[in-house]
Amino acid sequence: MNSKDTQLASVPTDDTWTPESWQDFPAAQQAEYPDEVALERSLKQLQELPPLVTSWEITSLRQQMAECAAGKRFLLQGGDCAESFDDCNSTVITNRLKVLLQMSMLLVHGLKMPVVRVGRFAGQYAKPRSSSEETRDGVTLPSYRGDIVNGPDFTPEARIPDPERLLRGHSRSAMTINFVRSLVDGGFADLHHPEYWDLSWVDHSSEAKEYREMLGQISDSLSFLETLAGRRVGALQRVEFFTSHEALHLHYEQGQTRQVPRRWGWWNLSTHLPWIGMRTAALDGAHVEFCRGIRNPIGIKIGPGMTAEWLTELIKTLNPDDQPGRLMLIHRMGAGKIAEHLPYLIEAGQKASKTLLWTCDPMHGNTENASSGVKTRRFENIHSEVSQAFEIHQACGSRLGGIHLELTGEDVTECTGGARDLTDEDLKRAYRSTVDPRLNYEQSLELAMAIVRKKRGLSGASINQ
Ligand code: PEP
Ligand code: CO
């Protein structure tokens, strides 16, 4: 073990943890496979298939997350609520990447600090459900648990959990990550060619105008720099992208968890950044047991039901040595609840750890039903939660180091409000999500600009500076 490795140690070597030790703990939100032999077969294949990410990428992300916690970087995590196998196509992947790149440019420029880009993609295929069964017109079937488990159609065939889907999920994730890597390494993210990541259908939008003005400024500064240096600034031709998903389906996570040559410990190589969802954060539960033993950075979603004691124990269990870059708390309270619940959780976090990275998910606490019955979220609530989060952290002597969003590059109408003031009526036009409502392109950019304004306002900097 080299000294850097020792620094990042998280599980004592005499511990009882193994990649399958979670199976001795109560596992919430797992699929019930009727054919266990088929499940074992898929798992075995998953264990033999190549990993999707590498341990050194994970280490690099941990270091960057430590810097986010220290206020030197800002983390932007975003993507679909749930990826679908059908949406594993070049248009959807490219458009999602474009929005994330544009938002990150706005943040880099406005916050004057590097942004860590983390996609909710290449594995975000498993979903927690409030009920394990769904009844329609007197017929009861297993709930849809995400494409990695079963299909969304309300038929017995589609809803039976199929372990073959674990392998399809792995392949779709590999295709997604492969395409993202080729794009960002191959010049797609090149600052000299921002037109590559322009979305044509939003030419008229006021956000697009402000965004292009900013790009113009960046481009001028770049030309100036390159004239001075007498050469192109190569580092600006590519960016880094990390992947993340909810570590919900523990057989899938186990299947890609392995040891690597010359490095200590176990790594979940299905993603860089797995997170524990709000419904699976029980201290004595299987998800916490699984996550405590892997060396990836871990996110934990915390909602209004989280207590100070519970959070303290989670921190002690998942990061006993208080290693920088290991834990990210993603609070998702809702605009009406954050002021009441966040302060005591921050206080508990400050007592238990010096290294926590706090990020805000302003989506999941603000879900409501529109008049038509579909799930929606109001932009004003999303904006308000982010804005309050910055203020509360500052007032508590803490720091908000990032943001976690559900968004898409497609022209959808799933969240109301925003500059175009989408109404409940507009939701009918282009509502595509089978799970949670996402910010569309304009709403995403608008939120990125709002973050810049808020953060600069709080630090006393003027907006035009
Ligand atoms: C999600 O991120 O899609 C999700 C289910 O979140 P949470 O666990 O916060 O409800
Ligand atoms: Co969601």
Side-chain angles (χ1 to χ4, degrees), residues 196-235:
Y196 292 171
W197 19 295
D198 225 354
L199 280 155
S200 53
W201 56 267
V202 281
D203 276 347
H204 49 273
S205 132
S206 56
E207 276 69 39
K209 186 165 169 283
E210 199 170 336
Y211 165 74
R212 290 205 182 100
E213 279 167 13
M214 179 210 72
L215 267 190
Q217 286 174 27
I218 296 178
S219 176
D220 288 350
S221 321
L222 196 59
S223 314
F224 176 67
L225 254 179
E226 292 187 336
T227 310
L228 271 187
R231 60 183 164 80
R232 272 167 83 88
V233 180

mmCIF file of all heavy atoms in Angstrom, residues 196-235:
data_model
loop_
_atom_site.group_PDB
_atom_site.id
_atom_site.type_symbol
_atom_site.label_atom_id
_atom_site.label_comp_id
_atom_site.label_asym_id
_atom_site.label_seq_id
_atom_site.Cartn_x
_atom_site.Cartn_y
_atom_site.Cartn_z
ATOM 1 N N TYR A 196 -20.315 23.291 -31.460
ATOM 2 C CA TYR A 196 -20.590 21.851 -31.439
ATOM 3 C C TYR A 196 -21.648 21.510 -30.391
ATOM 4 O O TYR A 196 -22.379 20.558 -30.526
ATOM 5 C CB TYR A 196 -19.333 21.036 -31.080
ATOM 6 C CG TYR A 196 -18.230 21.045 -32.092
ATOM 7 C CD1 TYR A 196 -16.995 20.486 -31.775
ATOM 8 C CD2 TYR A 196 -18.400 21.574 -33.364
ATOM 9 C CE1 TYR A 196 -15.948 20.484 -32.681
ATOM 10 C CE2 TYR A 196 -17.352 21.574 -34.282
ATOM 11 C CZ TYR A 196 -16.135 21.033 -33.928
ATOM 12 O OH TYR A 196 -15.102 21.034 -34.821
ATOM 13 N N TRP A 197 -21.623 22.260 -29.304
ATOM 14 C CA TRP A 197 -22.560 21.898 -28.229
ATOM 15 C C TRP A 197 -23.702 22.899 -28.091
ATOM 16 O O TRP A 197 -24.295 23.067 -27.052
ATOM 17 C CB TRP A 197 -21.876 21.608 -26.896
ATOM 18 C CG TRP A 197 -20.484 22.121 -26.697
ATOM 19 C CD1 TRP A 197 -19.372 21.737 -27.372
ATOM 20 C CD2 TRP A 197 -20.057 23.086 -25.744
ATOM 21 N NE1 TRP A 197 -18.286 22.396 -26.899
ATOM 22 C CE2 TRP A 197 -18.676 23.221 -25.892
ATOM 23 C CE3 TRP A 197 -20.716 23.833 -24.765
ATOM 24 C CZ2 TRP A 197 -17.932 24.097 -25.114
ATOM 25 C CZ3 TRP A 197 -19.973 24.691 -23.986
ATOM 26 C CH2 TRP A 197 -18.596 24.821 -24.170
ATOM 27 N N ASP A 198 -24.031 23.518 -29.208
ATOM 28 C CA ASP A 198 -25.192 24.396 -29.232
ATOM 29 C C ASP A 198 -26.424 23.549 -29.533
ATOM 30 O O ASP A 198 -26.351 22.609 -30.308
ATOM 31 C CB ASP A 198 -25.016 25.428 -30.351
ATOM 32 C CG ASP A 198 -25.389 26.800 -29.860
ATOM 33 O OD1 ASP A 198 -25.871 26.895 -28.727
ATOM 34 O OD2 ASP A 198 -25.191 27.757 -30.624
ATOM 35 N N LEU A 199 -27.540 23.897 -28.921
ATOM 36 C CA LEU A 199 -28.776 23.162 -29.220
ATOM 37 C C LEU A 199 -29.620 24.023 -30.151
ATOM 38 O O LEU A 199 -30.068 25.095 -29.772
ATOM 39 C CB LEU A 199 -29.531 22.874 -27.917
ATOM 40 C CG LEU A 199 -29.001 21.678 -27.130
ATOM 41 C CD1 LEU A 199 -29.335 21.810 -25.667
ATOM 42 C CD2 LEU A 199 -29.570 20.385 -27.666
ATOM 43 N N SER A 200 -29.849 23.538 -31.361
ATOM 44 C CA SER A 200 -30.435 24.392 -32.391
ATOM 45 C C SER A 200 -31.855 24.853 -32.065
ATOM 46 O O SER A 200 -32.239 25.957 -32.411
ATOM 47 C CB SER A 200 -30.438 23.651 -33.715
ATOM 48 O OG SER A 200 -31.059 22.410 -33.514
ATOM 49 N N TRP A 201 -32.623 24.010 -31.336
ATOM 50 C CA TRP A 201 -34.035 24.383 -31.168
ATOM 51 C C TRP A 201 -34.277 25.511 -30.186
ATOM 52 O O TRP A 201 -35.402 25.909 -29.940
ATOM 53 C CB TRP A 201 -34.878 23.163 -30.794
ATOM 54 C CG TRP A 201 -34.448 22.415 -29.566
ATOM 55 C CD1 TRP A 201 -33.612 21.351 -29.524
ATOM 56 C CD2 TRP A 201 -34.816 22.679 -28.218
ATOM 57 N NE1 TRP A 201 -33.435 20.926 -28.235
ATOM 58 C CE2 TRP A 201 -34.168 21.727 -27.421
ATOM 59 C CE3 TRP A 201 -35.638 23.629 -27.607
ATOM 60 C CZ2 TRP A 201 -34.306 21.691 -26.042
ATOM 61 C CZ3 TRP A 201 -35.771 23.594 -26.228
ATOM 62 C CH2 TRP A 201 -35.107 22.631 -25.463
ATOM 63 N N VAL A 202 -33.224 26.086 -29.600
ATOM 64 C CA VAL A 202 -33.475 27.130 -28.610
ATOM 65 C C VAL A 202 -32.935 28.486 -29.034
ATOM 66 O O VAL A 202 -32.702 29.341 -28.201
ATOM 67 C CB VAL A 202 -32.874 26.764 -27.240
ATOM 68 C CG1 VAL A 202 -33.757 25.784 -26.535
ATOM 69 C CG2 VAL A 202 -31.493 26.239 -27.395
ATOM 70 N N ASP A 203 -32.779 28.712 -30.316
ATOM 71 C CA ASP A 203 -32.196 29.960 -30.817
ATOM 72 C C ASP A 203 -32.879 31.208 -30.268
ATOM 73 O O ASP A 203 -32.239 32.206 -29.990
ATOM 74 C CB ASP A 203 -32.285 29.995 -32.350
ATOM 75 C CG ASP A 203 -31.108 29.247 -32.950
ATOM 76 O OD1 ASP A 203 -30.172 28.957 -32.189
ATOM 77 O OD2 ASP A 203 -31.160 28.950 -34.154
ATOM 78 N N HIS A 204 -34.175 31.138 -30.107
ATOM 79 C CA HIS A 204 -34.950 32.313 -29.716
ATOM 80 C C HIS A 204 -34.872 32.609 -28.217
ATOM 81 O O HIS A 204 -35.284 33.653 -27.783
ATOM 82 C CB HIS A 204 -36.414 32.054 -30.077
ATOM 83 C CG HIS A 204 -36.841 30.714 -29.586
ATOM 84 N ND1 HIS A 204 -36.649 29.581 -30.337
ATOM 85 C CD2 HIS A 204 -37.344 30.332 -28.404
ATOM 86 C CE1 HIS A 204 -37.065 28.530 -29.634
ATOM 87 N NE2 HIS A 204 -37.481 28.960 -28.458
ATOM 88 N N SER A 205 -34.368 31.676 -27.417
ATOM 89 C CA SER A 205 -34.510 31.833 -25.973
ATOM 90 C C SER A 205 -33.624 32.935 -25.385
ATOM 91 O O SER A 205 -32.509 33.172 -25.843
ATOM 92 C CB SER A 205 -34.186 30.484 -25.323
ATOM 93 O OG SER A 205 -33.308 30.642 -24.265
ATOM 94 N N SER A 206 -34.148 33.629 -24.371
ATOM 95 C CA SER A 206 -33.367 34.721 -23.789
ATOM 96 C C SER A 206 -32.140 34.155 -23.058
ATOM 97 O O SER A 206 -31.076 34.765 -23.022
ATOM 98 C CB SER A 206 -34.231 35.539 -22.828
ATOM 99 O OG SER A 206 -34.768 34.683 -21.856
ATOM 100 N N GLU A 207 -32.280 32.961 -22.476
ATOM 101 C CA GLU A 207 -31.128 32.330 -21.810
ATOM 102 C C GLU A 207 -30.028 32.068 -22.830
ATOM 103 O O GLU A 207 -28.862 32.278 -22.567
ATOM 104 C CB GLU A 207 -31.509 30.991 -21.172
ATOM 105 C CG GLU A 207 -32.117 31.100 -19.820
ATOM 106 C CD GLU A 207 -33.485 31.711 -19.906
ATOM 107 O OE1 GLU A 207 -34.214 31.385 -20.865
ATOM 108 O OE2 GLU A 207 -33.804 32.545 -19.056
ATOM 109 N N ALA A 208 -30.441 31.603 -24.018
ATOM 110 C CA ALA A 208 -29.455 31.279 -25.043
ATOM 111 C C ALA A 208 -28.681 32.540 -25.418
ATOM 112 O O ALA A 208 -27.474 32.506 -25.646
ATOM 113 C CB ALA A 208 -30.138 30.671 -26.259
ATOM 114 N N LYS A 209 -29.374 33.680 -25.445
ATOM 115 C CA LYS A 209 -28.718 34.929 -25.829
ATOM 116 C C LYS A 209 -27.642 35.279 -24.781
ATOM 117 O O LYS A 209 -26.489 35.539 -25.127
ATOM 118 C CB LYS A 209 -29.775 36.035 -25.918
ATOM 119 C CG LYS A 209 -29.263 37.344 -26.435
ATOM 120 C CD LYS A 209 -30.418 38.253 -26.835
ATOM 121 C CE LYS A 209 -29.922 39.659 -27.095
ATOM 122 N NZ LYS A 209 -29.658 40.400 -25.862
ATOM 123 N N GLU A 210 -28.051 35.231 -23.521
ATOM 124 C CA GLU A 210 -27.110 35.574 -22.449
ATOM 125 C C GLU A 210 -25.931 34.589 -22.460
ATOM 126 O O GLU A 210 -24.772 34.967 -22.285
ATOM 127 C CB GLU A 210 -27.840 35.495 -21.098
ATOM 128 C CG GLU A 210 -27.124 36.262 -20.009
ATOM 129 C CD GLU A 210 -27.981 36.377 -18.732
ATOM 130 O OE1 GLU A 210 -29.222 36.289 -18.810
ATOM 131 O OE2 GLU A 210 -27.367 36.556 -17.664
ATOM 132 N N TYR A 211 -26.268 33.345 -22.699
ATOM 133 C CA TYR A 211 -25.245 32.306 -22.728
ATOM 134 C C TYR A 211 -24.247 32.568 -23.866
ATOM 135 O O TYR A 211 -23.028 32.482 -23.681
ATOM 136 C CB TYR A 211 -25.942 30.948 -22.894
ATOM 137 C CG TYR A 211 -25.016 29.843 -23.284
ATOM 138 C CD1 TYR A 211 -24.136 29.311 -22.350
ATOM 139 C CD2 TYR A 211 -25.010 29.356 -24.585
ATOM 140 C CE1 TYR A 211 -23.271 28.308 -22.712
ATOM 141 C CE2 TYR A 211 -24.140 28.352 -24.949
ATOM 142 C CZ TYR A 211 -23.272 27.832 -24.019
ATOM 143 O OH TYR A 211 -22.409 26.850 -24.371
ATOM 144 N N ARG A 212 -24.775 32.958 -25.040
ATOM 145 C CA ARG A 212 -23.861 33.189 -26.180
ATOM 146 C C ARG A 212 -22.993 34.421 -25.947
ATOM 147 O O ARG A 212 -21.845 34.469 -26.370
ATOM 148 C CB ARG A 212 -24.656 33.326 -27.472
ATOM 149 C CG ARG A 212 -25.242 31.995 -27.859
ATOM 150 C CD ARG A 212 -25.507 31.855 -29.341
ATOM 151 N NE ARG A 212 -26.099 30.545 -29.543
ATOM 152 C CZ ARG A 212 -27.409 30.327 -29.703
ATOM 153 N NH1 ARG A 212 -28.249 31.339 -29.754
ATOM 154 N NH2 ARG A 212 -27.855 29.105 -29.854
ATOM 155 N N GLU A 213 -23.563 35.398 -25.260
ATOM 156 C CA GLU A 213 -22.747 36.591 -24.945
ATOM 157 C C GLU A 213 -21.566 36.190 -24.070
ATOM 158 O O GLU A 213 -20.437 36.621 -24.268
ATOM 159 C CB GLU A 213 -23.607 37.634 -24.216
ATOM 160 C CG GLU A 213 -24.444 38.450 -25.194
ATOM 161 C CD GLU A 213 -25.526 39.274 -24.480
ATOM 162 O OE1 GLU A 213 -25.469 39.408 -23.230
ATOM 163 O OE2 GLU A 213 -26.413 39.752 -25.201
ATOM 164 N N MET A 214 -21.868 35.335 -23.108
ATOM 165 C CA MET A 214 -20.802 34.882 -22.220
ATOM 166 C C MET A 214 -19.742 34.099 -23.000
ATOM 167 O O MET A 214 -18.548 34.292 -22.809
ATOM 168 C CB MET A 214 -21.388 34.022 -21.115
ATOM 169 C CG MET A 214 -20.358 33.502 -20.160
ATOM 170 S SD MET A 214 -20.844 31.927 -19.491
ATOM 171 C CE MET A 214 -20.624 30.868 -20.883
ATOM 172 N N LEU A 215 -20.221 33.243 -23.914
ATOM 173 C CA LEU A 215 -19.260 32.472 -24.712
ATOM 174 C C LEU A 215 -18.380 33.393 -25.532
ATOM 175 O O LEU A 215 -17.182 33.158 -25.705
ATOM 176 C CB LEU A 215 -20.002 31.544 -25.667
ATOM 177 C CG LEU A 215 -20.272 30.142 -25.186
ATOM 178 C CD1 LEU A 215 -20.785 29.300 -26.339
ATOM 179 C CD2 LEU A 215 -19.024 29.486 -24.610
ATOM 180 N N GLY A 216 -18.996 34.485 -26.043
ATOM 181 C CA GLY A 216 -18.240 35.478 -26.815
ATOM 182 C C GLY A 216 -17.106 36.024 -25.971
ATOM 183 O O GLY A 216 -15.956 36.125 -26.414
ATOM 184 N N GLN A 217 -17.430 36.346 -24.716
ATOM 185 C CA GLN A 217 -16.390 36.881 -23.808
ATOM 186 C C GLN A 217 -15.280 35.853 -23.586
ATOM 187 O O GLN A 217 -14.098 36.177 -23.605
ATOM 188 C CB GLN A 217 -16.996 37.210 -22.447
ATOM 189 C CG GLN A 217 -17.860 38.453 -22.426
ATOM 190 C CD GLN A 217 -18.537 38.610 -21.057
ATOM 191 O OE1 GLN A 217 -18.023 38.142 -20.046
ATOM 192 N NE2 GLN A 217 -19.684 39.265 -21.041
ATOM 193 N N ILE A 218 -15.688 34.591 -23.397
ATOM 194 C CA ILE A 218 -14.677 33.547 -23.152
ATOM 195 C C ILE A 218 -13.792 33.419 -24.387
ATOM 196 O O ILE A 218 -12.567 33.334 -24.299
ATOM 197 C CB ILE A 218 -15.341 32.196 -22.829
ATOM 198 C CG1 ILE A 218 -16.136 32.307 -21.529
ATOM 199 C CG2 ILE A 218 -14.302 31.087 -22.712
ATOM 200 C CD1 ILE A 218 -16.867 31.046 -21.133
ATOM 201 N N SER A 219 -14.427 33.435 -25.529
ATOM 202 C CA SER A 219 -13.695 33.265 -26.775
ATOM 203 C C SER A 219 -12.683 34.411 -26.976
ATOM 204 O O SER A 219 -11.535 34.183 -27.376
ATOM 205 C CB SER A 219 -14.724 33.210 -27.890
ATOM 206 O OG SER A 219 -14.118 33.143 -29.097
ATOM 207 N N ASP A 220 -13.104 35.646 -26.644
ATOM 208 C CA ASP A 220 -12.185 36.789 -26.752
ATOM 209 C C ASP A 220 -10.989 36.600 -25.827
ATOM 210 O O ASP A 220 -9.830 36.815 -26.220
ATOM 211 C CB ASP A 220 -12.896 38.097 -26.357
ATOM 212 C CG ASP A 220 -13.895 38.509 -27.433
ATOM 213 O OD1 ASP A 220 -13.879 37.894 -28.525
ATOM 214 O OD2 ASP A 220 -14.706 39.423 -27.158
ATOM 215 N N SER A 221 -11.278 36.176 -24.572
ATOM 216 C CA SER A 221 -10.171 36.001 -23.620
ATOM 217 C C SER A 221 -9.232 34.908 -24.101
ATOM 218 O O SER A 221 -8.010 35.002 -23.961
ATOM 219 C CB SER A 221 -10.667 35.591 -22.239
ATOM 220 O OG SER A 221 -11.824 36.258 -21.915
ATOM 221 N N LEU A 222 -9.834 33.885 -24.700
ATOM 222 C CA LEU A 222 -9.045 32.762 -25.188
ATOM 223 C C LEU A 222 -8.113 33.215 -26.317
ATOM 224 O O LEU A 222 -6.913 32.905 -26.318
ATOM 225 C CB LEU A 222 -10.020 31.695 -25.703
ATOM 226 C CG LEU A 222 -9.503 30.308 -25.919
ATOM 227 C CD1 LEU A 222 -8.963 29.758 -24.613
ATOM 228 C CD2 LEU A 222 -10.650 29.399 -26.400
ATOM 229 N N SER A 223 -8.662 33.987 -27.269
ATOM 230 C CA SER A 223 -7.831 34.461 -28.385
ATOM 231 C C SER A 223 -6.690 35.310 -27.840
ATOM 232 O O SER A 223 -5.539 35.214 -28.281
ATOM 233 C CB SER A 223 -8.615 35.348 -29.344
ATOM 234 O OG SER A 223 -9.825 34.783 -29.630
ATOM 235 N N PHE A 224 -7.024 36.131 -26.834
ATOM 236 C CA PHE A 224 -6.014 37.002 -26.244
ATOM 237 C C PHE A 224 -4.888 36.166 -25.627
ATOM 238 O O PHE A 224 -3.704 36.376 -25.904
ATOM 239 C CB PHE A 224 -6.691 37.886 -25.181
ATOM 240 C CG PHE A 224 -5.746 38.771 -24.435
ATOM 241 C CD1 PHE A 224 -5.091 39.818 -25.088
ATOM 242 C CD2 PHE A 224 -5.519 38.573 -23.081
ATOM 243 C CE1 PHE A 224 -4.210 40.629 -24.394
ATOM 244 C CE2 PHE A 224 -4.630 39.391 -22.389
ATOM 245 C CZ PHE A 224 -3.983 40.418 -23.047
ATOM 246 N N LEU A 225 -5.309 35.166 -24.849
ATOM 247 C CA LEU A 225 -4.335 34.271 -24.196
ATOM 248 C C LEU A 225 -3.449 33.567 -25.224
ATOM 249 O O LEU A 225 -2.237 33.467 -25.070
ATOM 250 C CB LEU A 225 -5.089 33.182 -23.434
ATOM 251 C CG LEU A 225 -5.133 33.290 -21.941
ATOM 252 C CD1 LEU A 225 -5.956 32.139 -21.366
ATOM 253 C CD2 LEU A 225 -3.712 33.241 -21.373
ATOM 254 N N GLU A 226 -4.094 33.093 -26.280
ATOM 255 C CA GLU A 226 -3.348 32.325 -27.276
ATOM 256 C C GLU A 226 -2.419 33.230 -28.089
ATOM 257 O O GLU A 226 -1.347 32.811 -28.506
ATOM 258 C CB GLU A 226 -4.323 31.550 -28.163
ATOM 259 C CG GLU A 226 -5.012 30.456 -27.337
ATOM 260 C CD GLU A 226 -5.884 29.523 -28.142
ATOM 261 O OE1 GLU A 226 -6.349 29.918 -29.219
ATOM 262 O OE2 GLU A 226 -6.095 28.390 -27.670
ATOM 263 N N THR A 227 -2.840 34.472 -28.272
ATOM 264 C CA THR A 227 -1.955 35.410 -28.960
ATOM 265 C C THR A 227 -0.712 35.643 -28.098
ATOM 266 O O THR A 227 0.422 35.630 -28.570
ATOM 267 C CB THR A 227 -2.683 36.755 -29.209
ATOM 268 O OG1 THR A 227 -3.924 36.458 -29.792
ATOM 269 C CG2 THR A 227 -1.889 37.691 -30.094
ATOM 270 N N LEU A 228 -0.954 35.831 -26.796
ATOM 271 C CA LEU A 228 0.164 36.036 -25.867
ATOM 272 C C LEU A 228 1.103 34.837 -25.867
ATOM 273 O O LEU A 228 2.314 34.965 -25.931
ATOM 274 C CB LEU A 228 -0.378 36.205 -24.446
ATOM 275 C CG LEU A 228 -0.731 37.595 -23.963
ATOM 276 C CD1 LEU A 228 -1.090 37.531 -22.478
ATOM 277 C CD2 LEU A 228 0.438 38.558 -24.155
ATOM 278 N N ALA A 229 0.491 33.649 -25.775
ATOM 279 C CA ALA A 229 1.299 32.437 -25.661
ATOM 280 C C ALA A 229 1.898 32.025 -27.002
ATOM 281 O O ALA A 229 2.847 31.241 -27.050
ATOM 282 C CB ALA A 229 0.434 31.302 -25.115
ATOM 283 N N GLY A 230 1.322 32.505 -28.063
ATOM 284 C CA GLY A 230 1.807 32.144 -29.394
ATOM 285 C C GLY A 230 1.437 30.729 -29.799
ATOM 286 O O GLY A 230 2.030 30.146 -30.694
ATOM 287 N N ARG A 231 0.473 30.105 -29.100
ATOM 288 C CA ARG A 231 0.028 28.754 -29.471
ATOM 289 C C ARG A 231 -1.370 28.511 -28.907
ATOM 290 O O ARG A 231 -1.845 29.267 -28.065
ATOM 291 C CB ARG A 231 0.982 27.701 -28.924
ATOM 292 C CG ARG A 231 1.093 27.732 -27.434
ATOM 293 C CD ARG A 231 2.097 26.719 -26.900
ATOM 294 N NE ARG A 231 2.427 27.067 -25.538
ATOM 295 C CZ ARG A 231 1.675 26.778 -24.478
ATOM 296 N NH1 ARG A 231 0.552 26.119 -24.621
ATOM 297 N NH2 ARG A 231 2.032 27.140 -23.270
ATOM 298 N N ARG A 232 -1.995 27.432 -29.407
ATOM 299 C CA ARG A 232 -3.326 27.089 -28.905
ATOM 300 C C ARG A 232 -3.222 26.527 -27.484
ATOM 301 O O ARG A 232 -2.251 25.857 -27.144
ATOM 302 C CB ARG A 232 -3.978 26.044 -29.815
ATOM 303 C CG ARG A 232 -4.739 26.669 -30.950
ATOM 304 C CD ARG A 232 -5.094 25.633 -31.980
ATOM 305 N NE ARG A 232 -6.316 24.885 -31.637
ATOM 306 C CZ ARG A 232 -7.543 25.264 -31.973
ATOM 307 N NH1 ARG A 232 -7.723 26.398 -32.631
ATOM 308 N NH2 ARG A 232 -8.587 24.527 -31.673
ATOM 309 N N VAL A 233 -4.226 26.829 -26.669
ATOM 310 C CA VAL A 233 -4.222 26.312 -25.308
ATOM 311 C C VAL A 233 -4.877 24.929 -25.333
ATOM 312 O O VAL A 233 -6.095 24.793 -25.383
ATOM 313 C CB VAL A 233 -4.961 27.277 -24.347
ATOM 314 C CG1 VAL A 233 -4.948 26.732 -22.922
ATOM 315 C CG2 VAL A 233 -4.337 28.659 -24.407
ATOM 316 N N GLY A 234 -4.019 23.887 -25.366
ATOM 317 C CA GLY A 234 -4.493 22.520 -25.601
ATOM 318 C C GLY A 234 -5.446 21.999 -24.549
ATOM 319 O O GLY A 234 -6.398 21.282 -24.848
ATOM 320 N N ALA A 235 -5.206 22.372 -23.277
ATOM 321 C CA ALA A 235 -6.013 21.823 -22.189
ATOM 322 C C ALA A 235 -7.493 22.171 -22.352
ATOM 323 O O ALA A 235 -8.356 21.544 -21.754
ATOM 324 C CB ALA A 235 -5.503 22.345 -20.861
#
